[in-house]
Amino acid sequence: MAAAKKAVLGPLVGAVDQGTSSTRFLVFNSKTAELLSHHQVEIKQEFPREGWVEQDPKEILQSVYECIEKTCEKLGQLNIDISNIKAIGVSNQRETTVVWDKLTGEPLYNAVAAPVSPGSSVPVAVVPSGSPVPAAGASSVWLDLRTQSTVEKLSKRIPGNNNFVKSKTGLPLSTYFSAVKLRWLLDNVKKVQEAVEENRALFGTIDSWLIWSLTGGINGGVHCTDVTNASRTMLFNIHSLEWDKELCEFFGIPMEILPNVRSSSEIYGLMKAGALEGVPISGCLGDQSAALVGQMCFQDGQAKNTYGTGCFLLCNTGHKCVFSEHGLLTTVAYKLGRDKPVYYALEGSVAIAGAVIRWLRDNLGIIKSSEEIEKLAKEVGTSYGCYFVPAFSGLYAPYWEPSARGIICGLTQFTNKCHIAFAALEAVCFQTREILDAMNRDCGIPLSHLQVDGGMTSNKILMQLQADILYIPVVKPSMPETTALGAAMAAGAAEGVGVWSLEPEDLSAVTMERFEPQINAEESEIRYSTWKKAVMKSIGWVTTQSPESGIP
């Protein structure tokens, strides 16, 4: 049986999926997009101070090697020859910032992490012991204990108009992106300052650190990144697709420490060690771009939403940069080959998605496991007029209102925990609709359907509610690993590898589950406008905020 399977497999492609809480290595069949095997390793987040989130770059690298070795062992047990693996792609948590010494290969400081997106805030991060630690500073746009003062200083120096940064990068000047973290490291960490002065320092996001290390490190490692990761640094001009001299001067970042920018699909270098030595690394995408590719959103106006701790919505805007009037980010979606055109996307994020379920579990104790919420919500099938606005640390896009706080309103004596559970799921859907409405206003392309992925999509009630509240179909692939799949597709399609065709007629049909709206349009609108009313009630709750500061 196994031998027969081995005979029909064809070329395989591996993908490193490096996230904030874990690293995975997955292997796909390039002809069918079937996932054959994978391995996952949890990684630690460190909280040296409240609001600081760091990770050990060496632990991240070690976890990649371990995942590759273990996956290869599992393939061997399945009687699959690992010499069939023709390429490796890398997908990574974006914005996390690493500076290392090119002579020793040692990191000069921990990776300064970015657990969620701008316009996203996770109120609680769980450390390995399981005790909740507030991570507000690391994840809130207007309160980052580490780099807030850096941003304030920089914003006073913005030349000419306030759009200086945004017009070149698509991003607001924010604590979140790498340029500010790098500036903080240069200002505060002596080892980083000395290495820069002595021309020993290299900077990169996680993809750069991994590719440099995997392709040889101090022995000829390739120092590069791709356009999607570069576009999240605030140093990259998304029009010219090059590092921007004026931006580097503004932030005081020496250009010689920056990686070479390449397309998302080309051979960067070969694996220099381990079970897959000699295999080309030929795909690289930031995680949200990788999910967009994995969902095959290659057409103008196609969008995907990834449901995790927060939600990430990306809408493909084609070859044109669309600048948002509603607090969304403009970013590079992908560039699938050196000579291929660049595609752009609008990105918005829902602050609190899975985090609200965790809050019901850990803080209120009304559920024992995250899966239980579906059962509670199903019991009542309605929120009975109860609305939950999880503005735990302010409202994000499209409101940008730091004075808001979370509220549960519309309570009667009949309201019980099932209604609150239902209202929490609805809150995720209403927030998604607000972002999609903003995208529609920016792009002028109303969505015909929304493609979804991520852990929460296994909740069927949530998916049905999302279709009802958006009043368009919600489409979920049966294979949920879209981020890793996107990285594998980019790697397999690279020139010189050529084992994965991205031609529309060749893309293997992925089976989809489809959720159609089941309520009438009028009821959908009434529920949405009542949600808006609840949001207004949450605004203006905090009247004074005393900024804190943390100095190393």
Side-chain angles (χ1 to χ4, degrees), residues 254-323:
M255 292 182 84
E256 56 275 12
I257 73 173
L258 304 178
N260 289 321
V261 183
R262 316 271 284 269
S263 76
S264 311
S265 174
E266 60 180 270
I267 295 174
Y268 312 113
L270 307 181
M271 286 286 288
K272 283 292 191 296
L276 298 180
E277 189 174 346
V279 175
I281 299 175
S282 52
C284 179
L285 291 151
D287 52 10
Q288 301 310 320
S289 285
L292 194 74
V293 171
Q295 285 272 29
M296 297 171 212
C297 293
F298 295 131
Q299 302 297 312
D300 235 20
Q302 283 187 309
K304 68 91 198 163
N305 192 16
T306 300
Y307 294 75
T309 309
C311 289
F312 289 92
L313 278 105
L314 258 74
C315 179
N316 187 333
T317 62
H319 303 310
K320 61 181 184 294
C321 279
V322 175
F323 284 93

Side-chain angles (χ1 to χ4, degrees), residues 499-516:
V499 298
W500 207 307
S501 169
L502 298 184
E503 296 304 321
E505 63 274 13
D506 296 330
L507 286 170
S508 39
V510 179
T511 51
M512 300 281 189
E513 196 174 349
R514 198 175 168 91
F515 297 84
E516 299 282 346

Side-chain angles (χ1 to χ4, degrees), residues 513-531:
E513 196 174 349
R514 198 175 168 91
F515 297 84
E516 299 282 346
Q518 287 179 358
I519 60 174
N520 65 42
E522 192 184 358
E523 191 193 333
S524 182
E525 286 310 312
I526 289 167
R527 276 158 70 176
Y528 185 48
S529 59
T530 314
W531 156 263

Side-chain angles (χ1 to χ4, degrees), residues 26 46 128 135 141 207 209 250 299 324 369 379 408 461 469 493-494 509 542:
L26 305 90
E46 296 174 24
V141 171
D207 56 304
W209 162 245
F250 172 65
Q299 302 297 312
S324 175
S369 72
E379 242 171 79
I408 300 174
I461 288 195
I469 287 164
V542 180

